[in-house]
């Protein structure tokens, strides 16, 4: 198992914790120098905040707790490909490396196609390069979503 897969498994476990807490099943963590520096869960439902995505929550913690240089040297691991809002937050915070599990296209088949823009498309328009790895561990990342989403309307 690669290092990316080990950290991604932890992000998927965070997604399980978010679901168990009554939220959408997404989790994220920030790794600096090979160690987990911060973790975050999705809190959309429990905090009644549509911006409470795991990646967005993680970025908010990172900019309060880490220096810009530390953020730039970190890697964000997320259980699912991030949405446009989270991609923007990550970019503007200075994160330049990300690894994700479940691809957005697959999530869309479960949760609906609302405002789907692949993260690579968004990052490709940025001035600075953002290294994106994924999808990885797709079956494991998908499992945490089983039975959570209502079938999309036809």
């Amino acid at each position: 198992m690669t290092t990316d897969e080990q950290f991604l498994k932890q992000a998927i476990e965070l997604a399980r914790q978010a679901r168990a807490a009554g939220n959408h099943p997404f989790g994220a963590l920030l790794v600096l120098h090979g160690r987990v520096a911060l973790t975050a869960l999705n809190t959309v439902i429990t905090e009644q905040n549509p911006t409470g995505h795991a990646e967005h929550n993680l970025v908010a913690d990172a900019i309060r707790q880490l220096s810009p240089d530390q953020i730039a040297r970190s890697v964000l691991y997320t259980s699912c490909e991030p949405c446009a809002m989270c991609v923007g937050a990550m970019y503007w915070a200075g994160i330049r490396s990300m690894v994700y599990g479940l691809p957005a296209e697959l999530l869309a088949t479960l949760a609906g196609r609302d405002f789907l823009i692949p993260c690579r498309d968004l990052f490709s328009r940025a001035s600075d390069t953002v290294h994106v790895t994924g999808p990885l561990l797709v079956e494991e990342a998908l499992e945490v979503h089983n039975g959570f989403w209502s079938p999309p309307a036809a």
Side-chain angles (χ1 to χ4, degrees):
M1 179 181 310
T2 68
T3 301
D4 283 345
E5 290 172 336
Q6 289 173 344
F7 287 125
L8 196 52
K9 282 181 176 284
Q10 290 179 49
I12 294 166
E13 178 54 34
L14 291 166
R16 281 190 189 88
Q17 292 172 26
R19 182 176 178 171
N23 288 293
H24 299 144
F26 301 101
L29 55 93
L30 200 62
V31 172
L32 181 62
H33 302 300
R35 298 184 141 192
V36 176
L38 297 168
T39 64
L41 307 177
N42 178 289
T43 58
V44 166
I45 296 171
T46 55
E47 292 187 2
Q48 299 179 347
N49 178 352
T51 68
H53 295 192
E55 302 91 342
H56 197 265
N57 291 339
L58 186 67
V59 167
D61 288 344
I63 60 176
R64 284 187 214 102
Q65 298 179 40
L66 301 174
S67 71
D69 180 63
Q70 289 173 311
I71 292 171
R73 290 183 284 117
S74 67
V75 180
L76 188 146
Y77 290 83
T78 180
S79 62
C80 185
E81 184 174 0
C83 73
M85 174 187 69
C86 292
V87 164
M90 292 163 54
Y91 184 80
W92 293 116
I95 294 168
R96 296 297 181 260
S97 188
M98 182 199 75
V99 179
Y100 70 91
L102 188 68
E105 283 289 338
L106 187 51
L107 176 66
T109 65
L110 301 171
R113 299 195 161 275
D114 193 30
F115 205 52
L116 173 68
I117 304 169
C119 70
R120 282 184 174 90
D121 290 356
L122 292 168
F123 284 133
S124 73
R125 297 170 182 260
S127 297
D128 293 347
T129 299
V130 178
H131 180 72
V132 177
T133 303
L136 297 175
L137 303 178
V138 174
E139 291 302 317
E140 288 181 51
L142 179 62
E143 185 274 328
V144 73
H145 293 269
N146 286 341
F148 181 82
W149 303 100
S150 299

